[in-house]
Amino acid sequence: MPTAEPGDRPSDTAAARLTIDLAALAGNFRLIAARAAPAAVGAAVKADAYGLGLAPVATALHSAGARTFFVAWLEEGIALRRLLPDAEILCLNGLAPGAAEAYAAHRLTPVLGSLEEIAEWRATSHGGQAPAGLQIDSGMARLGLSAEEVDRLVAYRKPLEGLSLTLVMSHLASGDDPADPMNLAQRASFEKDRGRLGLAHVRSSLAASGGSFLGSDFHLDLVRPGAALYGLAPLAGEANLMAQVVRLQAKILQVRRVDRGMTVGYGATHRTTRPSRLATISAGYADGYPRSLSNRGHACLGSVRVPVVGRVSMDLLTLDVTDAPADLARRGAWVDLIGPLHSVDALATEAGTIGYEILTALGRRYARHYLPVDGTPGSQTGAAP
């Protein structure tokens, strides 16, 4: 992310803005592609591209070389198909009941995860022609064929006959922890079940963001990163190799001086211990800034870390800017809630959550500014209606 302050422009009336660096996004894709080669690299763009906007993100990833994309819902796949007519699009949440014809009509690949889904897909006129994926549960107990279902398919293979399977996959429960023995156990379980089902020849995928960094034994034919593309650290406790993609800023609405002993915010949960300067900024939990950051979060005013004091409210939060220079702590100045000195992961740690939740919760009121891949001026979008 660029570190230069954007400055206050007379035409800039936004109270808060989210800058999304598509060049950094593309660079993250290329970094993973280089590490995973010769395996192919897909891209997870579910949940509106992790909250950053499906259209600009998917287009940038396609320009960077992505040809396989993963979404969760059928509706997400339909929206993506309009943007990328020739991409391979897989729907991770499987076959929505009664919707088989819609997948085929939009050339979407459902990742089948149960005997019921397999039966419903086979029963359609497209079941033997339109591509499908298959998920095997290797330890998540979430989606995918259970051990009992695998046993039933091994004993009676007919449900798989005639299916045009283009991918068989599983999902690591602890892919962000290289030391967790469950990773090796899941890989062994997945490989065993693939062989038992006679699917060793079908393209396979096990690694998402964390698994992409576990080494070639986990890459198989295709890795499918999501969070790492958007700048989140793929491995817990290790240096983050990914470039930061987002910068979240809000304007100071008001600065006030208060005496020692002044209470701040709803519930009077913070009391000043010295004469202080407090800055109120235009962001709150309605914008995806977690209420759990009350009295524990930080922001950056220039290079100065400033703490959140009092409760985060719906549209506002308060920062103690006593230690920041007065020329920075002024009405109309921009504060970094997420930025070069305070990453998404750092904010998530303060909030007691994960970067995934922070990204996907980012509100629609922010003015969104996209820094494009080619370095030309970015597009500015206002708040959603």
Side-chain angles (χ1 to χ4, degrees):
M1 289 295 295
T3 58
E5 286 294 325
D8 295 323
R9 301 186 302 273
S11 61
D12 189 357
T13 59
R17 65 183 173 198
L18 180 66
T19 302
I20 298 151
D21 190 340
L22 298 178
L25 174 82
N28 287 341
F29 176 85
R30 295 188 184 103
L31 185 153
I32 294 174
R35 294 181 68 100
V41 181
V45 293
K46 58 186 179 177
D48 195 30
Y50 285 55
L52 302 187
L54 180 64
V57 166
T59 302
L61 289 169
H62 188 270
S63 297
R67 294 297 179 266
T68 300
F69 293 83
F70 292 87
V71 297
W73 292 2
L74 167 64
E75 292 80 5
E76 294 175 333
I78 293 172
L80 183 57
R81 175 58 70 209
R82 297 190 189 105
L83 296 168
L84 301 177
D86 300 322
E88 179 186 29
I89 302 173
L90 294 102
C91 298
L92 292 169
N93 281 17
L95 182 64
E101 295 298 331
Y103 291 86
H106 294 280
R107 295 179 291 114
L108 304 175
T109 303
V111 180
L112 308 175
S114 68
L115 294 181
E116 287 180 302
E117 290 178 46
I118 292 171
E120 184 172 338
W121 187 248
R122 288 185 79 244
T124 70
S125 59
H126 302 284
Q129 302 171 6
L134 185 69
Q135 182 165 186
I136 300 171
D137 177 21
S138 60
M140 286 278 281
R142 194 175 64 168
L143 291 178
L145 296 173
S146 67
E148 179 185 357
E149 288 177 312
V150 170
D151 288 342
R152 289 172 63 184
L153 282 174
V154 170
Y156 183 63
R157 294 176 179 269
K158 188 173 181 180
L160 292 180
E161 292 176 2
L163 289 184
S164 178
L165 292 178
T166 60
L167 181 73
V168 57
M169 61 165 280
S170 192
H171 195 71
L172 296 172
S174 302
D176 64 340
D177 183 0
D180 194 320
M182 190 172 182
N183 293 320
L184 292 174
Q186 283 192 260
R187 190 190 72 189
S189 174
F190 178 56
E191 295 287 15
K192 179 181 177 181
D193 286 342
R194 284 177 62 211
R196 293 176 67 212
L197 291 170
L199 300 176
H201 64 288
V202 178
R203 184 178 54 153
S204 62
S205 178
L206 182 61
S209 285
S212 300
F213 289 81
L214 294 182
S216 58
D217 287 345
F218 289 87
H219 294 161
L220 305 182
D221 299 307
L222 174 71
V223 300
R224 49 182 203 277
L229 296 175
Y230 307 108
L232 301 187
L235 298 178
E238 296 193 13
N240 189 4
L241 300 177
M242 315 313 297
Q244 293 301 296
V245 173
V246 302
R247 186 176 191 177
L248 176 60
Q249 299 169 292
K251 275 183 179 175
I252 294 177
L253 301 177
Q254 187 179 103
V255 178
R256 66 176 60 207
R257 296 180 180 274
V258 299
D259 292 331
R260 179 179 180 275
M262 183 68 182
T263 60
V264 181
Y266 285 118
T269 60
H270 177 82
R271 186 181 296 272
T272 59
T273 59
R274 59 178 176 171
S276 303
R277 284 182 295 130
L278 303 178
T280 301
I281 68 171
S282 186
Y285 58 74
D287 305 297
Y289 191 84
R291 191 170 181 268
S292 61
L293 287 166
S294 301
N295 292 307
R296 63 188 294 185
H298 287 82
C300 289
L301 191 54
S303 61
V304 180
R305 283 168 56 89
V306 291
V308 174
V309 292
R311 287 182 182 165
V312 175
S313 55
M314 182 181 291
D315 312 294
L316 302 167
L317 60 92
T318 304
L319 303 169
D320 186 334
V321 297
T322 308
D323 296 327
D327 62 334
L328 291 179
R330 56 180 173 78
R331 180 173 178 264
W334 290 103
V335 177
D336 276 324
L337 302 177
I338 299 170
L341 302 179
H342 196 220
S343 69
V344 178
D345 288 318
L347 184 72
T349 298
E350 292 174 350
T353 184
I354 57 176
Y356 299 69
E357 184 175 10
I358 297 294
L359 285 180
T360 56
L362 291 173
R364 303 305 304 177
R365 290 196 293 188
Y366 300 124
R368 294 188 171 215
H369 181 64
Y370 291 89
L371 303 180
V373 175
D374 61 7
T376 58
S379 60
Q380 183 80 28
T381 62

